[in-house]
Amino acid sequence: MKKIYETDPWLEPYKEAVDRRHNRILEVRKALVGGQAVSSLANNHLYYGLHRTKDQWVLREWAPNATRIYLIGQFNNWKRTEAYALKPIGNGNWEISLPSMFLSHKDLYKLWIEWTGGAGERIPSYATRVVQDPDTKIFAAQVWDAPAYVWKHPSPGKRPHPLIYECHIGMSSEREEVAGFESFRRDVLPRVQALGYDVLQIMALQEHPYYGSFGYQVSNFFALSSRFGTPEEFKALVDDAHSRGIAVIMDIVHSHMVKNEAEGLSNFDGREDLYFYRGAQGWHPAWDSRCFDYGKNETKFFLLSNCKYWMEEYHLDGFRFDGVTSMLYWNHGLGTDFIGYDSYFNAGVDENAVDYLALANMLVHEVNPCAITIAEDVSGMAGLAAPFEAGGVGFDFRMAMGIADHWIKWIKELPDEQWSVGSIWWELTNKRADEKTVSYAECHDQALVGDKTIIFRLIDKEMYFSMDKASTNLLVDRGIALHKMIRLVTAATCGGGYLNFMGNEFGHPEWIDFPREGNGWSFKHARRLWSLPDNEQLRYAGLQNFDAAMIRFLKRPGLLSAAPVQLCANEADKVLIFRRKDAIFALNFNPTESFTDYGFAVPDGEYVEIFNSDEEVFGGFGRLPKGEKHVSINNTLKLYLPSRCAVVLEKI
């Protein structure tokens, strides 16, 4: 396998740095696991935490700074007694064994940890079930001793070109509530299947104290968020998704941890740097949270075991790693313009984090060779999504985060008659040849309060008055047309995968705003209005129908394996045409001009129109005949291209 500096001449000056990083990772791996697989020794979750054997409960905790530890809970009236004292067993580990009748299913418990100069209640670091009291709002670990779930369906297998449906369980209902796993499985999962997406990316699964954090301020890394339901209900959701051919990955947060002491690991045993960097480096200045010390073996095993736990316990098919940029750089990427390769190899890089991410990718693919790993990185670090053997870090994909920013910039700053189709092409296809990316026009970030979704930027307040089919509104017509074209050109030029956030396929109106003090703890904007696309009198149905047709076409065998090739980028006409394998995508962004017999060069042959964005079923005006066949003459194909319309053809 060629090294990344052999395929990218701009990396040649950094050959020694790439090799040095590669060898360092090998050394760290050897020191950590010897010659064994990373996954074979990342088993902290099997040792620490609460476990039941045939006739007893065993709880172990790592707290090297502790002087005394007690198990407290409902079973002993939250009292510290010698019968429930943990015993030190060496290397900072503590243990207690109790007869099986001492603890019962759903009992609440915590640890009382004492250290020199202080003490406090703590939730065990490896707790797999944590619940919040509805009245006091206090969190506690919970004994979970339910019958083992019986899995019925295998994983759907490898996803070389994932078509991802990003979702949040809690806001997946139309009702003003925190929705659950079961309602999502029953009501939303069939929609995902009907749309054609083959990967479900779920946010906010790890327990987090503040619902409004969107799950990014994690407190309990091994605990499935109880606000959405039980472990068995989530397993049933994953199992059902697998039966529908949908892989399930989770948005995993290993980039930082909530600073809360009562719920999290901060000052867990009276020591600030137990899992985190010392001093200022242990605190994230923008997120007000704790930063892991990825150089500590205990931290690496904690996080690696966390990956393995989620895959084995819940049969997950991989992860989208959140906040990778923050992990990679000592300054977390704040205020940094990543304009040169030097940024990726200088002293500003936290090589400990690079080591951890490489090991995590090794582990994930050891546990499941078909698993998906995706890096959320805005810096564009070279090699991040390249194979480890080639000198990379080993992610399967990286998020193409700049694309969404550019769509916002174009929509916000320029009328569409001034858009440059050449710039659009460049920004959509300017990707590293040796790394695969996941493209998206918008994800959950663009829908958060204070921002606007694409549809709302295009139509704004007219969405409230003119989205019914009986209305005539030029602004709505423009928004509907461009929404389809933006999503099609983004998806059709993707560097390997495509992502859509739940509800955006039909142009979900307004924004996302979780219940908080500032909005009177309202759920009005923390839900999805599924009744909109279900109402055939409204224009949302057309957008949803188009999205389904687009996703269905992108699943053509081999289509996304071929690189997109530009055929025409006419700035004056605002026409962009490109080929991908045997498919032709012709987009006329011109707001007023339609073109007859628009000619462009193609391989000779016969082409048939598969679909176009102007079909009435997609909320268009039906200006093109459906299924029309075209024959190229002298390597030239001529098409009728209506204004603000996209046509998709396939070579017969």
Side-chain angles (χ1 to χ4, degrees), residues 543-561:
L543 293 176
Q544 179 172 271
N545 293 340
F546 178 80
D547 199 83
M550 177 184 78
I551 295 299
R552 186 164 56 247
F553 184 77
L554 293 177
K555 296 169 84 170
R556 288 282 211 277
L559 178 64
L560 295 184
S561 298

Side-chain angles (χ1 to χ4, degrees), residues 158-193:
K158 199 167 185 63
R159 290 286 180 269
H161 302 291
L163 300 168
I164 303 171
Y165 197 82
E166 183 189 32
C167 63
H168 183 282
I169 299 296
M171 57 173 288
S172 64
S173 169
E174 185 153 349
R175 294 181 294 274
E176 296 186 26
E177 62 181 9
V178 178
F181 297 126
E182 184 58 24
S183 65
F184 186 96
R185 186 191 68 78
R186 182 187 64 243
D187 301 331
V188 182
L189 199 56
R191 291 180 179 270
V192 180
Q193 181 184 22

Side-chain angles (χ1 to χ4, degrees), residues 639-650:
L639 297 178
Y640 169 47
L641 295 179
S643 60
R644 287 189 183 133
C645 178
V647 181
V648 179
L649 306 98
E650 191 171 40

Side-chain angles (χ1 to χ4, degrees), residues 250-262:
M250 71 177 280
D251 216 345
I252 198 166
V253 182
H254 283 178
S255 49
H256 66 131
M257 185 181 196
V258 71
K259 69 178 182 180
N260 303 33
E261 295 182 4

Side-chain angles (χ1 to χ4, degrees), residues 306-487:
N306 190 237
C307 294
K308 186 176 180 181
Y309 168 79
W310 285 99
M311 294 182 75
E312 292 190 337
E313 182 68 19
Y314 294 107
H315 289 204
L316 295 182
D317 303 293
F319 305 99
R320 180 262 204 184
F321 281 76
D322 174 70
V324 169
T325 306
S326 178
M327 300 170 70
L328 291 174
Y329 304 95
W330 291 112
N331 69 355
H332 310 294
L334 300 173
T336 303
D337 292 323
F338 296 95
I339 56 175
Y341 280 25
D342 184 61
S343 303
Y344 308 144
F345 301 103
N346 63 26
V349 176
D350 181 357
E351 295 292 346
N352 294 326
V354 178
D355 297 341
Y356 165 68
L357 290 170
L359 293 172
N361 275 285
M362 293 176 193
L363 177 141
V364 170
H365 294 108
E366 287 168 2
V367 174
N368 179 4
C370 295
I372 304 166
T373 58
I374 305 170
E376 187 214 22
D377 169 50
V378 73
S379 77
M381 176 179 276
L384 188 64
F388 177 69
E389 295 76 14
V393 180
F395 281 98
D396 296 307
F397 299 88
R398 68 188 321 146
M399 302 293 292
M401 300 180 70
I403 291 175
D405 293 337
H406 277 93
W407 280 121
I408 292 173
K409 179 181 175 67
W410 292 322
I411 296 171
K412 190 176 180 180
E413 297 181 3
L414 295 170
D416 50 297
E417 57 265 25
Q418 294 182 21
W419 289 2
S420 165
V421 291
S423 294
I424 290 173
W425 173 261
W426 169 256
E427 296 299 345
L428 294 181
T429 60
N430 180 25
K431 307 177 179 78
R432 296 185 60 82
D434 57 355
E435 299 184 30
K436 292 194 291 185
T437 59
V438 174
S439 297
Y440 56 97
E442 55 185 344
C443 66
H444 71 274
D445 286 328
Q446 286 72 44
L448 293 172
V449 64
D451 206 339
K452 292 181 179 180
T453 59
I454 285 177
I455 195 70
F456 214 79
R457 286 187 182 279
L458 293 170
I459 300 178
D460 209 71
K461 66 180 186 300
E462 293 302 318
M463 291 197 74
Y464 300 122
F465 310 110
S466 305
M467 284 296 283
D468 60 295
K469 292 180 179 179
S471 296
T472 301
N473 188 298
L474 294 178
L475 188 65
V476 172
D477 291 344
R478 169 185 180 267
I480 293 289
L482 288 178
H483 190 270
K484 290 178 285 187
M485 295 181 71
I486 287 169
R487 302 177 84 75

Side-chain angles (χ1 to χ4, degrees), residues 12-202:
E12 179 61 32
Y14 301 93
K15 177 180 182 298
E16 291 184 5
V18 172
D19 288 340
R20 187 164 55 248
R21 177 174 287 171
H22 180 83
N23 291 332
R24 174 193 162 101
I25 294 169
L26 288 176
E27 291 171 2
V28 171
R29 171 179 171 155
K30 183 177 180 181
L32 200 68
V33 299
Q36 300 186 62
V38 178
S39 60
S40 67
L41 294 182
N43 295 310
N44 280 24
H45 56 294
L46 301 179
Y47 180 78
Y48 295 108
L50 182 65
H51 300 279
R52 179 170 183 169
T53 63
K54 185 177 181 180
D55 56 0
Q56 67 177 358
W57 291 96
V58 178
L59 185 146
R60 300 185 189 93
E61 187 60 73
W62 181 62
N65 197 48
T67 56
R68 295 282 286 172
I69 302 181
Y70 296 94
L71 177 65
I72 59 174
Q74 292 176 315
F75 41 82
N76 61 9
N77 202 27
W78 303 97
K79 301 295 185 181
R80 304 188 293 276
T81 65
E82 287 304 313
Y84 290 91
L86 278 70
K87 303 295 188 288
I89 56 175
N91 299 315
N93 295 314
W94 297 74
E95 180 182 273
I96 185 173
S97 298
L98 297 168
S100 58
M101 73 282 294
F102 276 42
L103 300 178
S104 301
H105 181 50
K106 294 189 177 182
D107 277 351
L108 301 181
Y109 69 97
K110 289 185 180 182
L111 297 177
W112 174 267
I113 301 181
E114 298 178 358
W115 57 87
T116 303
E121 289 185 356
R122 297 290 187 265
I123 293 176
S125 57
Y126 288 82
T128 57
R129 176 74 174 173
V130 175
V131 297
Q132 184 180 30
D133 186 282
D135 298 320
T136 66
K137 306 303 180 184
I138 294 174
F139 284 84
Q142 185 178 49
V143 177
W144 199 256
D145 194 27
Y149 181 83
V150 179
W151 293 90
K152 305 174 185 65
H153 305 283
S155 168
K158 199 167 185 63
R159 290 286 180 269
H161 302 291
L163 300 168
I164 303 171
Y165 197 82
E166 183 189 32
C167 63
H168 183 282
I169 299 296
M171 57 173 288
S172 64
S173 169
E174 185 153 349
R175 294 181 294 274
E176 296 186 26
E177 62 181 9
V178 178
F181 297 126
E182 184 58 24
S183 65
F184 186 96
R185 186 191 68 78
R186 182 187 64 243
D187 301 331
V188 182
L189 199 56
R191 291 180 179 270
V192 180
Q193 181 184 22
L195 286 167
Y197 291 89
D198 57 16
V199 176
L200 192 67
Q201 180 179 304
I202 309 180

